Amino acid sequence: MRAPWRSPPEPGADGRHQIRFALAEGLPFAIALVVLVIELTPAHVVYTGPLLVATPALAAVTLGPAGTLAAAGVALCVSVATATYNHAWGGQLVYTNLLALALVTTASVMTSRAVGTRRDQELHQVRRIAEAAQEVLLRPVPARLGPVRAASMYLAAETGAQIGGDLYDAVQTRYGVRLIVGDVRGKGLPAVRAAAVVLGAFRESVHYEDDLVEVVHHCGAALRRDAGTASAGLAGGDDTLLEGFVTAVVAQIPDTPDVQVVNRGHPPPLLLRDGEVRPLTPTAPLPPLGLEEFISGRPGRTDSYPFLPGDRLLLHTDGAIEARDGENTFFDLAGAMRTLRDRTRQSFLEDLRRALMRHACGRLADDVAIVVVDRLD
């Protein structure tokens, strides 16, 4: 989640890394081009054989086995063309260069395959660890919770990621079904850490705090404690830890036909009733968790809304409503909710995922967490 008052970030280390990697990928072919220019001009007196021999080894670093073979093929074509142009086939250097090119190519391909295999094994292990962490941190909500049925969905924006900075949970307590959906400012491991802190405080406090506002206060206090601990031991000046906050919405569904909501700077839940979608906008907007110093007056209040049998409640993060298409148009989550109103919860989430990914052209800019709740008769 981005801070709304911050300007767009300047290109940083990630952009520079991509540029350097692209230059490294093109280096073997650039060398082959330089050799070709030298050999076809009066400067061909310069001995260029070692440059061509080195191209497969350079390609093996970034291009993999296929790219290594491609670079070797280009080097071979340049060697044959220049030897023919300069009438050098009778000399011993041409055959020596070709033999060296064959040996270096073979070694480079074998090395590249070995590195690729090891990288795949490490990636598989990392994914297994991420899946285990997801099961602990973001477990699917139970299908049946007291007077409701529920389902959840999480979509990570980062390719290959299993978890990120969004969070959700649903717990059945003696006070009713209590749910939380939140979004951590920032990305990466600090965001996952903040999500774990908030979820841990929520899962503990929901069972003994009868006031929903106090549950939210426990989440905020845990986040502030963790931020203070991280700041005390911080050496690198990571502003994600120092300036982090979490938008969150916490809901309680008792046996009575209503739902109580405490919203801390989060997009309001959507309520579907009789084909119409209504946002449950808070009566008194409050800042996100971690920014309690900006609260003036009452520390918070619970808003109550009717939640009748047959109604559907959707809690979501801003990644769902800020997804854009090629024309920079935001995704119409309320419209999709109306269109898919007759679907069961799992079918609803699956069709919603397809619609969201189709709208975003297959690439999300931010993580998406969604919990859908149906009130039973």
Side-chain angles (χ1 to χ4, degrees), residues 235-247:
D238 190 336
D239 66 342
T240 302
L241 287 175
L242 292 175
E243 303 176 12
F245 60 84
V246 180
T247 67

Side-chain angles (χ1 to χ4, degrees), residues 78-307:
V78 171
S79 296
V80 172
T82 55
T84 302
Y85 180 80
N86 293 319
H87 307 287
W89 283 108
Q92 188 176 5
L93 286 178
V94 174
Y95 302 104
T96 302
N97 290 338
L98 292 178
L99 177 60
L101 181 62
L103 292 176
V104 172
T105 299
T106 302
S108 299
V109 170
M110 294 176 61
T111 303
S112 181
R113 286 179 176 173
V115 171
T117 300
R118 183 173 180 177
R119 183 176 62 247
D120 291 341
Q121 292 175 348
E122 292 177 349
L123 180 60
H124 179 67
Q125 183 178 7
V126 169
R127 286 178 174 172
R128 289 176 56 189
I129 295 173
E131 290 173 357
Q134 184 184 36
E135 291 179 359
V136 175
L137 183 61
L138 293 179
R139 56 201 180 203
V141 301
R144 176 67 185 267
L145 290 163
V148 301
R149 291 189 182 274
S152 59
M153 177 178 70
Y154 189 94
L155 301 175
E158 185 174 351
T159 304
Q162 300 287 335
I163 55 178
D166 288 6
L167 59 100
Y168 67 85
D169 202 0
V171 183
Q172 186 171 359
T173 71
R174 55 180 174 172
Y175 310 108
V177 178
R178 288 179 164 178
L179 310 98
I180 184 173
V181 171
D183 190 355
V184 181
R185 181 254 166 183
K187 295 182 180 297
L189 292 179
V192 176
R193 171 176 172 168
V197 169
V198 172
L199 281 175
F202 171 81
R203 289 166 178 167
E204 178 184 3
S205 59
V206 290
H207 292 287
Y208 65 81
E209 288 291 352
D210 59 348
D211 188 352
L212 198 61
V213 174
E214 289 302 319
V215 174
V216 178
H217 287 172
H218 276 282
C219 296
L223 187 65
R224 292 194 302 276
R225 286 194 303 269
D226 183 74
T229 303
S231 299
L234 197 61
D238 190 336
D239 66 342
T240 302
L241 287 175
L242 292 175
E243 303 176 12
F245 60 84
V246 180
T247 67
V249 58
V250 180
Q252 176 175 293
I253 304 174
D255 292 333
T256 56
D258 60 348
V259 56
Q260 288 95 44
V261 178
V262 177
N263 195 322
R264 294 293 297 271
H266 198 77
L270 300 178
L271 181 66
L272 174 67
R273 176 183 299 148
D274 298 329
E276 295 298 326
V277 177
R278 169 197 172 194
L280 304 184
T281 307
T283 56
L286 293 172
L289 302 175
L291 299 179
E292 282 75 13
E293 63 269 22
F294 295 103
I295 296 179
S296 60
R298 296 186 59 182
R301 58 168 295 175
T302 301
D303 295 318
S304 182
Y305 309 90
F307 188 34

